[in-house]
Amino acid sequence: MRNRDSSIVYLVLGIYALMISWYYNHNLIILLITYIFWPIYLIYELLIGHLSHGMWKIIPMSYFK
């Protein structure tokens, strides 16, 4: 059960990274690269500040409006 919980978190964070990539880029090639290297991309986005000032919750909400 413990392994399953971590795999669900891994999947959700991967989808979240893809949502961030599409929000900023709108490019299928970059989306594919993000799909392959999503942990690195997510850390990169955190470091450069694209998820600051509430953008971490505005981006996912923009897909469900």
Side-chain angles (χ1 to χ4, degrees), residues 16 51 54-62:
Y16 184 67
L51 300 178
M55 288 304 290
W56 65 272
K57 58 184 173 182
I58 291 173
I59 293 171
M61 288 173 38
S62 71

Side-chain angles (χ1 to χ4, degrees), residues 24-54:
Y24 284 116
N25 300 315
H26 293 287
N27 189 335
L28 290 176
I29 295 171
I30 294 175
L31 191 68
L32 179 64
I33 293 170
T34 302
Y35 175 72
I36 296 169
F37 300 109
W38 74 261
I40 297 167
Y41 180 78
L42 195 56
I43 292 170
Y44 169 75
E45 290 293 324
L46 285 168
L47 290 176
I48 65 169
H50 275 169
L51 300 178
S52 61
H53 304 293

Side-chain angles (χ1 to χ4, degrees), residues 5-31:
D5 293 337
S6 65
S7 66
I8 292 172
V9 171
Y10 193 80
L11 174 69
V12 169
L13 285 175
I15 293 170
Y16 184 67
L18 293 175
M19 291 169 75
I20 293 168
S21 176
W22 186 255
Y23 183 83
Y24 284 116
N25 300 315
H26 293 287
N27 189 335
L28 290 176
I29 295 171
I30 294 175
L31 191 68

